[in-house]
Amino acid sequence: MANVETRRKVTAPAVASRKRNEGAEPLVMLTAYDAPGARQVSAAGADMILVGDSLAMVVLGYDDTLQVTIEDMAHHTGAVARANPHSLIVGDLPWMSYHVSPEETVRNAAALVRAGAEAVKLEGGRKRLPMIEAIVSAEIPVMGHLGLTPQSIHAMGGFKVQAKQADAALELVEDAKALAHAGCFAVVLEGVPARVAEMVTAAIDIPTVGIGAGHGCDGQVLVYHDVLGIEDRFLPKFVRRYADLGTASVEALTRFVDDVRSGAFPNDEESYHMSDDQADALGLYGT
Ligand code: KIV
């Protein structure tokens, strides 16, 4: 486990300069949605914690990310922030929190910052430029998100790999350049062919953070519940599981259930006791 005490807080400007083609180490981002998760991700040494709107699916049990609100995201961002992680905290702007007007977008981004986010993330390319510019001018660092953008599930016709055709790949490169030019400090590339992600990464001077985008990005992000084997409803091809905590949890909980039913829990050491004098006064002997 990395030494938390000696690590400096990661900042958005520090992330912005982490290009692998300039010799930087790959960036690592993991999601977290509560204080224990944030402590673990920070202790593992990740550069960034994304309080992702994947919250909707992996924590709240919805089938897509469209159900979470800015209040939900602020609630969970606050829990992550109270863990004081060394990792940069990125709060995800949920669907419809940055689609109506730049003013409403800035107010929603500010709600996440007041809850403890040190940067915000939003999905989409050139059509989001007015919103991105408004947030950047409010001095809030913005991370972009291109490719398979889960908030566009209905427009995309499902969770589908994007930019597989040459013309769509070129559009993606133009979107990434526009986001970098507008002041984003990094951009997530999700669900695109590895060669397209490499093209985008080479075309911009801010780091790309890939998920299902191959090896050529400046960093990688995965969802906490996927890495730890807690989410078992759906396992995308790009997920590598590093533990099976879902199974381990059910096994441990089953042992507790069995121990209670058999009378093995709690034992004497797990119980509080009163002095013999006081027990005598109550007429209780040998308790
Ligand atoms: O919400 C999320 O977890 C995300 C990642 C998949 C990048 O946006």
Side-chain angles (χ1 to χ4, degrees):
M1 189 179 283
N3 183 345
V4 185
E5 288 70 35
T6 57
R7 273 185 280 119
R8 279 214 232 124
K9 178 76 190 171
V10 179
T11 64
V15 168
S17 64
R18 294 270 296 269
K19 287 295 281 183
R20 275 172 70 199
N21 63 6
E22 292 166 9
E25 223 188 9
L27 285 162
V28 187
M29 181 158 83
L30 276 160
T31 66
Y33 315 92
D34 57 21
R39 276 195 294 273
Q40 292 163 5
V41 170
S42 181
D47 301 294
M48 293 177 276
I49 293 177
L50 173 65
V51 190
D53 64 353
S54 47
L55 167 76
M57 299 171 75
V58 297
V59 175
L60 301 180
Y62 293 112
D63 289 333
D64 58 47
T65 59
L66 305 181
Q67 308 303 328
V68 283
T69 63
I70 193 72
E71 289 78 20
D72 295 326
M73 295 308 302
H75 180 75
H76 286 267
T77 300
V80 165
R82 285 189 285 280
N84 278 324
H86 96 285
S87 327
L88 179 75
I89 304 172
V90 182
D92 218 357
L93 284 165
W95 181 60
M96 271 299 137
S97 69
Y98 57 93
H99 300 70
V100 175
S101 70
E103 290 75 17
E104 204 174 303
T105 301
V106 172
R107 259 195 297 278
N108 286 326
L112 295 190
V113 170
R114 291 218 165 101
E118 295 146 340
V120 297
K121 176 171 86 56
L122 57 76
E123 297 181 2
R126 281 162 282 180
K127 62 179 143 182
R128 303 284 172 240
L129 286 181
M131 315 304 189
I132 293 171
E133 283 161 2
I135 307 173
V136 169
S137 28
E139 315 298 346
I140 302 171
V142 183
M143 176 181 276
H145 185 158
L146 296 172
L148 193 174
T149 46
Q151 293 174 12
S152 317
I153 179 173
H154 297 309
M156 292 182 310
F159 294 117
K160 293 187 178 153
V161 175
Q162 300 294 300
K164 286 169 96 171
Q165 305 297 323
D167 54 348
L170 292 175
E171 288 297 316
L172 189 74
V173 172
E174 290 313 310
D175 277 337
K177 284 183 180 168
L179 262 52
H181 188 255
C184 286
F185 72 97
V187 57
V188 168
L189 293 181
E190 178 167 356
V192 297
R195 288 162 83 176
V196 174
E198 279 168 31
M199 265 177 73
V200 173
T201 302
I204 58 176
D205 58 8
I206 55 168
T208 56
V209 183
I211 175 163
H215 185 254
C217 296
D218 295 300
Q220 298 291 328
V221 52
L222 281 179
V223 167
Y224 177 94
H225 292 65
D226 289 338
V227 172
L228 296 180
I230 299 169
E231 170 63 56
D232 57 5
R233 293 182 302 173
F234 179 59
L235 186 69
K237 166 188 166 88
F238 56 79
V239 169
R240 188 181 294 177
R241 279 208 167 140
Y242 287 85
D244 187 4
L245 297 196
T247 304
S249 301
V250 174
E251 277 169 12
L253 298 169
T254 304
R255 279 172 30 224
F256 172 68
V257 168
D258 290 347
D259 281 355
V260 171
R261 292 198 176 132
S262 71
F265 178 88
N267 63 23
D268 206 44
E269 282 171 12
E270 290 154 345
S271 306
Y272 295 105
H273 301 280
M274 67 192 327
S275 67
D276 288 347
D277 286 357
Q278 295 302 312
D280 283 351
L282 291 172
L284 304 169
Y285 302 101
T287 53

